[in-house]
Amino acid sequence: MSRLETAMALIIEVFSQYAGADGNARSLSKGEMKVLLEKELPGFLQSGRDKEAVEKLLKDLDANGDATVDFNEFIVFVAAITSACHSFFQQKGLN
């Protein structure tokens, strides 16, 4: 597999690993999203504001209003934070 194919497979695998613990394997509940963020992006949330941050993130990501994050909504999140990281590294001259 190419590096990009591997990266895509890993994104799918991570989503699948966390989705379904609360019953629906096709989407992430608020609790599942929080666990995913804590484990996979530990620097993303700041302690003390975790619950508020997850609530806001879930609301912002939940395009269809079903109170969960499906894979399409999740991939928008991954793309957005990847883009933000890319911009940050470009500004710092680290790419």
Side-chain angles (χ1 to χ4, degrees):
M1 247 194 290
S2 73
R3 290 184 315 158
L4 185 55
E5 289 170 325
T6 300
M8 291 166 44
L10 284 171
I11 291 168
I12 293 167
E13 184 181 311
V14 167
F15 179 86
S16 297
Q17 178 182 346
Y18 293 94
D22 290 348
N24 182 355
R26 294 179 179 227
S27 64
L28 295 161
S29 67
K30 180 179 13 176
E32 292 166 337
M33 187 68 181
K34 183 175 185 224
V35 171
L36 184 152
L37 292 171
E38 289 170 344
K39 303 269 181 165
E40 302 295 333
L41 296 169
F44 189 75
L45 296 177
Q46 298 174 354
S47 60
R49 295 186 352 192
D50 289 357
K51 186 174 181 180
E52 294 169 11
V54 172
E55 295 274 348
K56 181 174 179 353
L57 179 62
L58 185 62
K59 183 180 176 200
D60 292 345
L61 291 175
D62 186 17
N64 64 4
D66 67 355
T68 64
V69 176
D70 64 27
F71 185 77
N72 289 332
E73 294 163 336
F74 176 72
I75 205 67
V76 167
F77 166 70
V78 171
I81 61 170
T82 302
S83 179
C85 288
H86 181 262
S87 295
F88 174 80
F89 290 131
Q90 277 189 322
Q91 289 174 355
K92 298 291 183 188
L94 300 173
N95 58 349

